[in-house]
Amino acid sequence: MRLIEYDAAALTPGEWRAGGLVRAFNPTIAAVPGGYAIAYRVVHVDSHHRRIAAALLDHDFALVPGSVTPLSDQISFADPGLDERARTWHADPIYLRLKGRLYLMWNDGAARPSNHQFIAEMTDDGRHTVGEAREITTRDRRSLEKNWTLFESDGEVYASYSYRPHRVLRVDLDAPGPIVVAAPAFTSGFTSNYEKVFGVLRGGAQPFQVDGSLLAMAHSSFKVPEGRVYRAALIEFEGKPPFRVRRMSRAPFDLPSRAGTDFAHDKLNPDVHDVVYPRGLVRSDAGEWIVSYGLNDERCALAVMSPTQVEESLGPPVRTGYSHRSDDRPLQPLPRSPRPDVSEQPSLPVFWFDAKGKLFDGFVGGRRFATGNFGDIASRWAARRMSGVELRTPLPGEPRMLAIGSVLQRAQDGDVVWGAGVKGGSEPLPRGIDLDVRAVRGPLSIDYLHRAGVSTDRVGQLFDPGVLFPRLFADELEKVEPRGGDRIVPHYHDDLLLRRRHYEHLGSFVSVDTTPLGMMRALKGADRVFASSLHGVIFAEAMGIPAYWLAPIGGEDELKYHDYYLGTGRTKIKRFESLEEAMASDPMPLPRFDIDAYLETFPHDSIPRLSVRAVTPGHGFDFKNWDRQHLSRYFGLAGFGVRDERGIWMTSRRAAITTTVRTTPGEAFEATLTFAPTNPGTLPEPQTLRAQANGGPIQVVRWRRAGADRVEVTLEFSAHSTETALQIDLEARHLVRHPAAQSSILGRAATRLGAADTSALLGRTLSRGGEALGTHAYRGGVLSGLRIASLGRRA
C-alpha cells in the first residue's frame, strides 16, 4: 500500500497564509480531467476560522503548482436567512459524482440546536462552485448531521443516511428552492460483529459502483484508555433498491499513517487519541483504489492500494434482518374505530426523576432504591398539594411542570418552571426555547436561562420549593414525636462510604431513600443536620434546624449547592471537608424564608393548559406502558388483543389504531411506528407487515427467516382541520401461534378431554385460525411505540 502525505502549508491558499500555522486535513478526492481534485479543511492554529480549500493533483498524485484555491471564500447561499455560523463554518467536504455532474457537500460542524449540511454544484476541475449552495436535509433527522453519502442508481440519486440500519433517502437535486428535502426510500437491517467492538459505522466517502454493488469507505470511532480513536472500514451494499448491505470489514481497515499518535499542534478535540478519517474513494485507470483521508485533524493523506487488498479486508456476507420499502398495492382498511373519549378530570404532567429500582451506591455496594430519592419525589408531592389536581407522567414531547430538583437543563418548549434549578456541567439550553418561568432555585439558574435568551420577567422569588414542606404538610408533621440529637443525611453517592467511615454514628444516619414526609419525620427534633444531600440541607433549614454542608465525596457537582445558598441571600458559604470538621464548627446562620410570598408564585393559571390530554405533533407514546399512561384515553384499538410489557400485540391479520391529532389545516405529518415481529423459522415464508395511515402510501417490511429485528415504519398523513382523525391500518402476512396461548389451550384441553384428544383439538383450532376460541392464540407482532411529528416544522 502506497502512502502520500501533503504538507499543510503547501495546501494553504496564499490569501490565507497571513493567519500563521495551519492544519489542512480530511481531504475528499474526485477524478477530473488531467488527474484528480481534492478539497479539504483548513484551520489556522490560532484562529477559529473553519474553511475549505481545493487543489489539483496530477496522475502521480503530485500537487499541481498554482492550483490551490480558497474555495470557501467563493461560496454563496441560496437561503439569505442563514446565521453567521452556517455561512462561515465549513467542515468535512465530500466530492460527489451524480448524474454526470460534480458536487461538493459539507456541514457547519456541531452547531446547536441542530447543524446544517450544504451541497453545491462544482466546475469540472472541482475548484469552483457553480451557482448557490443549498441546504440538504430530511424531515426525520438527528440534531447533528455530518456523514450522509450520496450515490446514483438507475438514474436516481439516493443518500445513505445511516448504515445501522441502512437507511436510504431519495434525493431530487433538481427540485427548486433553497432547501433540498430528501425523502425516506428504503431501510434494511443486518447483523455484524464489527460495531460491537469498534463502534457505530458512519459515512465517509461516496459509494463507488463496482460489479453490481456499491463500495464505500466509512469510519467508526471507539475509546481506548488514552482517548478516542477514529478508523476506516469498508462496507458493500446492493447497487439497486432496496440497497441491502452485503459485506463489511471484519476489523478496521488500516490506512497508513506516519504520524501515529503524534500531534504537531494542540489537539482540536482534546478527547481524541489518534484519527484516521476517510472522505474520498476513487479508482485509477490502472484499477488501483485511491483513498483520501485526514490524519489527526492536521494532515492530508492518500493511500493507493490494489483490488486484492480491498477484497481481503471485506468479511463474509452479512445477514440481512429485514428490508423496508414502499408499495403501491392497496391495503384494505378496517372500519374506522370510534374516537376515544378523552374527557376526564384535569391531571397535571410533572417531570421528576424516578430513582426507584436504580442503583443507590453506584458500583460500590450494589444497593438499589426501594422508594426513590426523597428530593426527586418532593417535586410531585409539592405540585399535587399546591395544584389540588391529580398528577401524571408526561408523555415524550408534552409540555409539563418542572418543580423541585436540578432539572432545568431538561426543559423543553412549553414547559412551566416553578422552583427548579440547573445542575453543574449541563449543556446549554437551545436558543429560543419557549419557557414559562415563575420561580427558580437561585441566581445561577437565572444566569443559565439568560444565556439561552429565556425571559425571567415573571420570576419574583428565588427559592427551592422544598422549603415549603413544613407548611404544606404541617398537619401530618404535627403528629410526629420529635427526637433530639444529630442527623447525618448523605447524598446517595456518599451514603455507603460515610457509613463505613463513621460507623460510630450509625444511629444518626438518615437515608435519602424515603418519602419527603419520611425525611421530615426523621429530622424532626434534631439539634443539628450534617448533609451532603442538598435537600437534606434544605429540609433541615426549612424546619429551623441548623444544617452543615458536607463536601460531596461521590463526585456530585457543587453548583446546585451554591445556587441554593446564594438564592437565600447568603454569600459566605461554609463547606466542610469532613464530618469531624463540621461537628467541631459553627453552622451557617439559618435563612429567612418568606413562605407566603413563595406560595403566591405557584402557576395555578398554567394548569388548564398543561392538563389538557391531546395528541399533538412532537408527542411520543410508549405502548409498553399502556395502562400506566392511560393510553386508552388517547387511542382506539382493533385487532390488538393483548397488552403486556412489550407493547400491544396484533392478534388478527388486520389491525388498526385510531386517535385524533391537533393539527393545522393543510400541514403534513408523520406517524412513526416501532414494531417487532413474531417470526419463527418454522414459517413457510418470513413474516411481512404492511402499514398505512389514512389511506396514504403503504410501507412494507419483510423480515428474513427467523428475523426479529425491531423496525421503525414512518407513514405520512395530512391535516384537513384543527382536529384530524388518524387511523393506522396494519396487515400481517402470517400470524403465529403464541407459545403461552398454545400451552393455555392445551392445558385446558387436557383437563377436559384427556391427553389422547388434545392433539385433535389443536388441529381443529389451527384450521379455524384460533380466533373462534377467543383466546388470542395467534399473534402478528408487537407495536411498542408511536411518534407524531410535523413535516413542515422539521423540514
Side-chain angles (χ1 to χ4, degrees), residues 486-552:
D486 292 335
R487 306 289 191 277
I488 303 169
V489 187
H491 187 278
Y492 64 88
H493 285 153
D494 306 337
D495 187 275
L496 195 60
L497 294 172
L498 280 175
R499 288 174 191 265
R500 288 172 175 173
R501 287 180 183 176
H502 302 287
Y503 48 81
E504 70 276 13
H505 298 296
L506 273 183
S508 299
F509 276 85
V510 179
S511 173
V512 298
D513 187 11
T514 185
T515 65
L517 186 56
M519 178 57 68
M520 288 192 292
R521 286 171 175 158
L523 297 184
K524 186 174 179 181
D527 299 314
R528 300 180 298 179
V529 171
F530 304 91
S532 61
S533 159
L534 173 60
H535 280 95
V537 171
I538 292 173
F539 271 50
E541 294 191 336
M543 297 171 70
I545 305 168
Y548 297 71
W549 173 27
L550 298 179

Side-chain angles (χ1 to χ4, degrees), residues 201 417 774:
L201 206 64
V417 178

Side-chain angles (χ1 to χ4, degrees), residues 737 761-770 778:
R737 173 166 288 284
L761 174 64
L762 178 57
R764 293 196 299 274
T765 301
L766 288 169
S767 68
R768 295 202 302 269
Y778 285 86

Side-chain angles (χ1 to χ4, degrees), residues 12 31 53 83 110 120 138 190-191 268 297 306 320 436 498 503 505 556 581 608 628 656 674 692 768 795:
T12 305
D83 60 26
T138 189
F190 63 94
T191 301
L268 276 182
D297 297 334
S306 69
T320 299
D436 181 1
L498 280 175
Y503 48 81
H505 298 296
E556 188 69 5
E581 179 191 358
R628 185 165 66 86
T674 304
Q692 181 181 40
R768 295 202 302 269

Side-chain angles (χ1 to χ4, degrees), residues 723-739:
E723 291 192 343
T724 298
L726 171 64
Q727 176 161 323
I728 298 171
D729 288 285
L730 303 172
E731 181 181 272
R733 177 71 177 272
H734 297 287
L735 294 185
V736 177
R737 173 166 288 284
H738 192 262

Side-chain angles (χ1 to χ4, degrees), residues 334-338 635-641 648-652 654-658 727-730:
L334 289 175
R336 185 169 293 279
S337 304
F635 298 99
L637 300 178
F640 292 97
I648 55 175
W649 289 83
M650 286 182 67
T651 50
S652 301
R654 293 163 57 204
I657 182 167
T658 59
Q727 176 161 323
I728 298 171
D729 288 285
L730 303 172

Side-chain angles (χ1 to χ4, degrees), residues 575-591:
R575 171 181 171 275
F576 300 97
E577 295 297 328
S578 67
L579 182 61
E580 293 87 350
E581 179 191 358
M583 287 185 164
S585 303
D586 294 326
M588 290 179 63
L590 286 170

